[in-house]
Each structure stands twice: as C-alpha cells, then as structure tokens.
Amino acid sequence: MSVSVIIKWGGQEYSISSLSEEDTVMDLKQSIKTLTGVLPERQKLLGLKVKGKPAEDEVKLGSLKLKPNTKIMMMGTREESLEEVLAPPPENDDVVNDFDIEEEVIEVENREENLAKIARRVKEYKVEELNPPREGKRLLVLDVDYTLFDHKSCAETGQELMRPYLHEFLTSAYEDYDIVIWSATSMKWIDAKMKELGVTDNPNYKIMFMLDSAAMITVHTPKRGVVEIRPFMKAHLNREKDRELYKLAQYLKEIAKLDDFSGLNHKHWERYLSKRQHH
C-alpha cells in the first residue's frame, strides 16, 4: 500500500506519494530533504506520534495508520550559509560510519523491503554527470568521510584535513577507473569540500559524478562489525605518517589487470597486494 502525505513548511505544501507502508520515518525524511533541501537531522515533524511520543526514525509508516494526504507540519532550516556548509557535517546517528559497517550486510542486502527502496532510489535519484563514462574503464566509488578527508577535525583550511597522497592517488586511479565521489551528507557540503580540496577541477583526473545522502537507503540490522580499512582521523597527528592512499593506488593498479572482480574480497586488499609484490 502506498502512503501519501502533505508536508507543510515555510508557508508551502509539498506532496509526497512515492512511499509505501514498509518505508520508515527516515525514508519520509529523505523524501522531504529531496523536496525542501532540509537535512533529515534538521527536520522536526509535528504530529507523527507513536503512543503519544514522537515517532522514531526506524518506525514503519504503515504502523502510524496515516489517512491519505495527512498534513504534517515540519520545522527545520536549510544549511544556507557557506560557513555551515564548510563546517563538519551535522552528526547523524542514522548514518553508520563505514568503518563500523554492519557484519550481516549480506543478509540485509537481499531483503525485499531494501530491494524495493533501492529500486525507488534508482528511479527517483537524479545523477548529475560532470564527465561522461569512458569506454573500457572500471568504476571506482570513493567515500569522502574518513577516506579522502578527516571531516570531523577543525582546521583553518580543508587542505590541512586532506588525506596524504590524495591527488596522486586519484591521478593514478583515473588511468584505469572512472571515479565517483559520495558522502552521507548534503550535495552542497560535498561540492564545497571537493572544490576546496582542488578535486573538482584537477587537470590530472576527472570526476564522473557525485552522490549525496538522498541516494542512500536506511537499513536496520542488529549488530556491527568492523572492516579493515584504516579511517583517516585526527589529521593533525596522522598527516605525516598516513600512507594508506599510496598503498591503495598500487592495489587498484594490480586488480585493474583482471577481467573479473567477483573473486576478490576487497577487505583483504593489503594481503592481496603483499602476495603480488613478493612474487
């Protein structure tokens, strides 16, 4: 069953009818974000209650028993000033840091409700292509947060928080891969950060497109495991010794020779690289 609601915000009404009863309050917030530009963590939805308390993000819309075209008042503001955009992104408990990634992701990815969410994201999310895909190149998707950039520390400029070897890494990767940048934040924040780091207009490589939080789906699983990629945090302390991107560039160069990636487990990229280098 589909759920249709009308969001009242800033003197205007926004109609949302693309959600189902299996979707959650967070899915609704993501749809509102697409229409209004207000991030989910900045939204306060009045009148969405479960047993007299505000509905949590993981509550399914079907359990709220909403009448068709229920009007919901929203309070919340867009991040309008560049200062806000350039600051660390707001804390968002619904977005799991990839370095605390869910162990049971395999079980989760085939669940019907998650496949339905993905199908809807694919249909609704508009990708803005910055550069066309190149014939015969693989696709490399890179997360900004803690992979390319320490997004939580404070600094005078973004350059100070940039991960060492970033431009050399992207230049090397671009020889074999089309590059996509994504982050679980707003496109305005991603765009500003990539410009500040000199990624967007770099003469040595091109970015095919960028993805923001609206391209993501929320997934709920019971426990977390850890993936073995070292996050780049505390840039001021680690800038001198972090060589992760330098080594990762070598791994990407090695596997680019393969016709098929399906036999690889990228979790063990360092092991794969050391075996190849000792042959």
Side-chain angles (χ1 to χ4, degrees), residues 111-156:
R111 281 198 197 141
E112 210 171 305
E113 69 264 27
N114 293 334
L115 292 172
K117 285 183 190 178
I118 290 167
R120 194 160 55 246
R121 286 285 184 282
V122 169
K123 194 168 136 214
E124 291 178 359
Y125 189 82
K126 298 281 181 283
V127 169
E128 190 184 326
E129 195 177 273
L130 305 175
N131 292 288
R134 296 167 300 157
E135 188 73 39
K137 299 296 179 191
R138 306 294 176 77
L139 183 67
L140 175 65
V141 182
L142 295 165
D143 190 359
V144 176
D145 317 319
Y146 297 136
T147 304
L148 306 184
F149 180 79
D150 171 9
H151 76 300
K152 282 284 156 67
S153 298
C154 294
E156 291 284 312

Coordinates of all heavy atoms in Angstrom, one line a residue, residues 111-156:
R111 N 17.0 -8.4 1.4 CA 15.7 -8.3 1.9 C 14.7 -7.5 1.0 O 15.2 -6.5 0.4 CB 15.7 -7.6 3.3 CG 16.2 -8.5 4.4 CD 15.8 -8.0 5.7 NE 16.6 -8.7 6.7 CZ 17.1 -8.1 7.8 NH1 16.9 -6.8 8.0 NH2 17.8 -8.8 8.7
E112 N 13.5 -8.0 0.9 CA 12.6 -7.4 -0.1 C 12.4 -5.9 0.1 O 12.4 -5.2 -0.9 CB 11.2 -8.2 0.0 CG 10.5 -8.2 -1.3 CD 9.3 -9.1 -1.2 OE1 9.4 -10.3 -0.8 OE2 8.2 -8.6 -1.5
E113 N 12.2 -5.5 1.4 CA 11.9 -4.1 1.6 C 13.1 -3.2 1.2 O 13.0 -2.1 0.7 CB 11.5 -3.8 3.0 CG 12.6 -4.0 4.1 CD 12.5 -5.3 4.7 OE1 12.1 -6.3 4.1 OE2 13.0 -5.4 5.9
N114 N 14.4 -3.8 1.4 CA 15.5 -3.0 1.0 C 15.7 -2.9 -0.5 O 16.1 -1.9 -1.1 CB 16.8 -3.6 1.7 CG 16.7 -3.4 3.2 OD1 16.1 -2.5 3.7 ND2 17.4 -4.3 3.9
L115 N 15.4 -4.1 -1.2 CA 15.5 -4.1 -2.7 C 14.5 -3.1 -3.3 O 14.8 -2.4 -4.2 CB 15.2 -5.5 -3.2 CG 16.3 -6.5 -2.9 CD1 15.9 -7.9 -3.3 CD2 17.6 -6.2 -3.6
A116 N 13.3 -3.0 -2.6 CA 12.3 -2.0 -3.1 C 12.7 -0.6 -2.9 O 12.5 0.2 -3.8 CB 11.0 -2.3 -2.3
K117 N 13.4 -0.4 -1.8 CA 13.9 1.0 -1.5 C 15.0 1.4 -2.5 O 15.0 2.5 -3.1 CB 14.6 1.1 -0.1 CG 13.6 1.1 1.1 CD 14.5 1.2 2.3 CE 13.6 1.1 3.6 NZ 14.5 1.2 4.8
I118 N 15.9 0.4 -2.8 CA 16.9 0.7 -3.8 C 16.3 0.9 -5.2 O 16.7 1.9 -5.9 CB 17.9 -0.5 -3.9 CG1 18.7 -0.6 -2.6 CG2 18.8 -0.4 -5.1 CD1 19.5 -1.9 -2.4
A119 N 15.3 0.1 -5.6 CA 14.7 0.3 -6.9 C 14.1 1.7 -7.0 O 14.2 2.4 -8.0 CB 13.6 -0.7 -7.1
R120 N 13.5 2.2 -5.9 CA 12.9 3.5 -5.9 C 14.0 4.6 -5.9 O 13.8 5.6 -6.7 CB 12.0 3.7 -4.6 CG 11.1 4.9 -4.8 CD 9.9 4.9 -3.9 NE 10.3 4.7 -2.5 CZ 10.1 3.6 -1.8 NH1 9.4 2.6 -2.3 NH2 10.5 3.5 -0.5
R121 N 15.1 4.4 -5.2 CA 16.2 5.4 -5.3 C 16.7 5.5 -6.7 O 17.0 6.6 -7.2 CB 17.3 5.0 -4.4 CG 17.1 5.2 -2.9 CD 17.2 6.7 -2.5 NE 17.0 6.8 -1.0 CZ 15.9 6.7 -0.4 NH1 14.7 6.5 -1.1 NH2 15.8 6.8 0.9
V122 N 16.9 4.3 -7.3 CA 17.4 4.3 -8.7 C 16.5 5.1 -9.6 O 16.9 5.8 -10.5 CB 17.6 2.8 -9.2 CG1 17.8 2.8 -10.7 CG2 18.7 2.1 -8.4
K123 N 15.2 4.9 -9.4 CA 14.2 5.6 -10.3 C 14.1 7.1 -10.0 O 14.0 7.9 -10.9 CB 12.8 4.9 -10.0 CG 11.8 5.3 -11.1 CD 10.5 4.4 -10.9 CE 9.3 5.3 -11.0 NZ 8.2 4.9 -10.2
E124 N 14.2 7.5 -8.8 CA 14.0 8.9 -8.4 C 15.2 9.7 -8.3 O 15.2 10.9 -8.6 CB 13.3 8.9 -7.0 CG 11.8 8.4 -7.1 CD 11.2 8.4 -5.7 OE1 11.8 8.9 -4.7 OE2 10.0 8.0 -5.6
Y125 N 16.4 9.1 -8.0 CA 17.6 10.0 -7.8 C 18.1 10.4 -9.1 O 18.3 9.6 -10.0 CB 18.6 9.2 -7.0 CG 19.8 10.0 -6.6 CD1 19.7 10.8 -5.4 CD2 21.0 10.0 -7.3 CE1 20.8 11.5 -5.0 CE2 22.0 10.8 -6.9 CZ 21.9 11.6 -5.7 OH 23.0 12.3 -5.4
K126 N 18.4 11.7 -9.2 CA 18.9 12.3 -10.5 C 20.4 12.5 -10.3 O 20.9 13.2 -9.5 CB 18.2 13.6 -10.8 CG 16.7 13.6 -11.0 CD 16.4 13.1 -12.4 CE 14.9 13.0 -12.6 NZ 14.2 11.9 -12.0
V127 N 21.1 11.7 -11.2 CA 22.6 11.8 -11.2 C 23.0 13.0 -12.1 O 22.6 13.0 -13.3 CB 23.3 10.5 -11.6 CG1 24.7 10.7 -11.9 CG2 23.0 9.4 -10.6
E128 N 23.8 13.9 -11.6 CA 24.3 15.0 -12.5 C 25.7 14.6 -12.9 O 26.7 14.7 -12.2 CB 24.3 16.3 -11.6 CG 24.6 17.5 -12.5 CD 24.7 18.8 -11.7 OE1 24.0 18.9 -10.7 OE2 25.5 19.6 -12.1
E129 N 25.7 14.2 -14.2 CA 27.0 13.8 -14.8 C 27.9 15.0 -15.0 O 27.6 15.9 -15.7 CB 26.7 13.0 -16.1 CG 27.9 12.2 -16.6 CD 27.5 11.5 -17.9 OE1 27.0 10.3 -17.8 OE2 27.8 12.0 -19.0
L130 N 29.1 14.9 -14.4 CA 30.1 16.0 -14.6 C 31.0 15.7 -15.8 O 31.4 16.6 -16.5 CB 31.0 16.2 -13.3 CG 30.2 16.4 -12.0 CD1 31.2 16.4 -10.8 CD2 29.4 17.7 -12.1
N131 N 31.3 14.4 -16.0 CA 32.1 14.0 -17.1 C 31.6 12.6 -17.6 O 31.2 11.8 -16.7 CB 33.6 13.8 -16.7 CG 34.2 15.2 -16.4 OD1 34.5 16.0 -17.3 ND2 34.4 15.5 -15.1
P132 N 31.6 12.4 -18.9 CA 31.0 11.1 -19.4 C 31.8 9.9 -19.0 O 33.1 10.0 -18.9 CB 30.9 11.3 -20.9 CG 32.0 12.3 -21.2 CD 32.1 13.2 -20.0
P133 N 31.2 8.7 -18.9 CA 32.0 7.5 -18.7 C 32.9 7.2 -19.9 O 32.5 7.5 -21.0 CB 30.9 6.4 -18.5 CG 29.7 7.0 -19.0 CD 29.8 8.5 -19.0
R134 N 34.0 6.6 -19.6 CA 35.0 6.2 -20.7 C 34.9 4.8 -21.0 O 34.8 3.9 -20.1 CB 36.4 6.7 -20.3 CG 36.5 8.2 -20.1 CD 37.9 8.5 -19.4 NE 37.9 7.8 -18.1 CZ 39.1 7.6 -17.4 NH1 40.2 7.9 -18.0 NH2 39.1 7.0 -16.2
E135 N 34.9 4.5 -22.3 CA 34.9 3.1 -22.8 C 36.0 2.2 -22.1 O 37.2 2.6 -22.1 CB 35.1 3.1 -24.3 CG 34.8 1.7 -25.0 CD 33.4 1.3 -25.0 OE1 32.5 2.2 -25.2 OE2 33.1 0.2 -24.8
G136 N 35.6 1.1 -21.6 CA 36.6 0.1 -21.1 C 37.2 0.4 -19.7 O 38.0 -0.3 -19.2
K137 N 36.7 1.4 -19.0 CA 37.2 1.8 -17.7 C 36.2 1.1 -16.6 O 35.0 1.0 -16.8 CB 37.2 3.3 -17.5 CG 38.1 4.0 -18.4 CD 39.6 3.6 -18.3 CE 40.4 4.4 -19.3 NZ 41.8 3.9 -19.3
R138 N 36.9 0.7 -15.5 CA 36.1 0.2 -14.4 C 35.5 1.4 -13.6 O 35.9 2.6 -13.9 CB 37.0 -0.6 -13.4 CG 37.7 -1.7 -14.2 CD 36.7 -2.8 -14.6 NE 37.3 -3.8 -15.4 CZ 38.0 -4.8 -14.9 NH1 38.3 -4.9 -13.6 NH2 38.5 -5.8 -15.7
L139 N 34.7 1.2 -12.6 CA 34.1 2.2 -11.8 C 34.7 2.2 -10.4 O 34.6 1.1 -9.7 CB 32.6 2.1 -11.8 CG 31.8 3.2 -11.0 CD1 32.0 4.6 -11.7 CD2 30.4 2.9 -10.8
L140 N 35.1 3.3 -9.9 CA 35.7 3.4 -8.5 C 34.8 4.4 -7.8 O 34.7 5.6 -8.2 CB 37.1 3.8 -8.5 CG 37.8 4.1 -7.2 CD1 37.9 2.8 -6.4 CD2 39.2 4.7 -7.4
V141 N 34.1 4.0 -6.7 CA 33.3 4.9 -5.9 C 34.0 5.1 -4.5 O 34.3 4.2 -3.8 CB 31.9 4.3 -5.6 CG1 31.0 5.2 -4.8 CG2 31.2 3.9 -7.0
L142 N 34.2 6.4 -4.2 CA 35.0 6.7 -3.0 C 34.2 7.5 -2.0 O 33.5 8.5 -2.4 CB 36.3 7.5 -3.4 CG 37.3 6.8 -4.3 CD1 38.3 7.8 -4.9 CD2 38.0 5.7 -3.4
D143 N 34.2 7.1 -0.8 CA 33.5 7.9 0.3 C 34.5 9.1 0.7 O 35.7 8.9 0.7 CB 33.3 7.0 1.5 CG 32.4 7.6 2.5 OD1 32.0 8.7 2.4 OD2 32.2 6.9 3.5
V144 N 33.9 10.2 0.9 CA 34.7 11.4 1.4 C 35.1 11.2 2.8 O 36.3 11.3 3.1 CB 33.8 12.7 1.3 CG1 34.6 13.9 1.8 CG2 33.4 12.9 -0.2
D145 N 34.2 10.9 3.7 CA 34.4 11.0 5.1 C 35.3 9.9 5.6 O 35.0 8.7 5.6 CB 33.0 10.9 5.8 CG 32.0 11.7 5.1 OD1 32.3 12.8 4.7 OD2 30.8 11.2 5.0
Y146 N 36.4 10.4 6.2 CA 37.5 9.5 6.7 C 38.3 8.7 5.7 O 39.2 8.0 6.0 CB 36.9 8.5 7.8 CG 36.3 9.2 9.0 CD1 35.1 8.7 9.5 CD2 37.0 10.2 9.6 CE1 34.6 9.3 10.6 CE2 36.4 10.8 10.8 CZ 35.2 10.3 11.3 OH 34.7 10.9 12.4
T147 N 37.9 8.8 4.4 CA 38.6 8.1 3.4 C 39.5 9.1 2.7 O 40.7 8.9 2.5 CB 37.7 7.4 2.4 OG1 36.8 6.5 3.1 CG2 38.5 6.6 1.3
L148 N 38.9 10.2 2.2 CA 39.7 11.2 1.5 C 40.0 12.4 2.4 O 40.9 13.2 2.1 CB 38.9 11.7 0.3 CG 38.4 10.7 -0.7 CD1 37.7 11.3 -1.9 CD2 39.5 9.8 -1.2
F149 N 39.3 12.5 3.5 CA 39.3 13.7 4.2 C 38.8 13.5 5.7 O 38.0 12.6 5.9 CB 38.2 14.6 3.5 CG 38.0 15.9 4.1 CD1 38.9 16.9 3.8 CD2 36.9 16.2 4.8 CE1 38.6 18.2 4.3 CE2 36.6 17.5 5.3 CZ 37.5 18.5 5.0
D150 N 39.5 14.1 6.6 CA 39.1 14.0 8.0 C 38.0 15.0 8.3 O 38.3 16.2 8.5 CB 40.3 14.2 8.9 CG 40.0 14.3 10.4 OD1 38.8 14.1 10.7 OD2 40.8 14.7 11.2
H151 N 36.8 14.6 8.2 CA 35.7 15.6 8.2 C 35.2 16.0 9.6 O 34.3 16.8 9.7 CB 34.5 15.1 7.4 CG 33.7 14.1 8.1 ND1 34.2 12.9 8.5 CD2 32.3 14.1 8.4 CE1 33.2 12.2 9.0 NE2 32.1 12.8 9.0
K152 N 35.9 15.5 10.7 CA 35.5 15.9 12.0 C 36.4 16.9 12.7 O 36.0 17.6 13.6 CB 35.3 14.7 12.9 CG 34.0 13.9 12.6 CD 32.8 14.6 13.2 CE 31.5 14.3 12.5 NZ 31.0 12.9 12.7
S153 N 37.7 16.9 12.3 CA 38.6 17.8 13.0 C 38.4 19.2 12.5 O 37.9 19.4 11.4 CB 40.1 17.4 12.7 OG 40.3 16.1 13.2
C154 N 38.9 20.2 13.3 CA 38.8 21.6 12.8 C 40.2 22.1 12.3 O 41.2 21.6 12.7 CB 38.4 22.5 14.0 SG 36.8 22.1 14.6
A155 N 40.1 23.0 11.3 CA 41.4 23.5 10.7 C 41.1 24.8 10.1 O 39.9 25.1 9.8 CB 41.9 22.5 9.7
E156 N 42.1 25.5 9.8 CA 42.0 26.8 9.0 C 41.4 26.6 7.6 O 40.6 27.3 7.1 CB 43.3 27.5 8.9 CG 43.8 28.0 10.3 CD 43.1 29.3 10.7 OE1 43.0 30.2 9.9 OE2 42.7 29.4 11.9

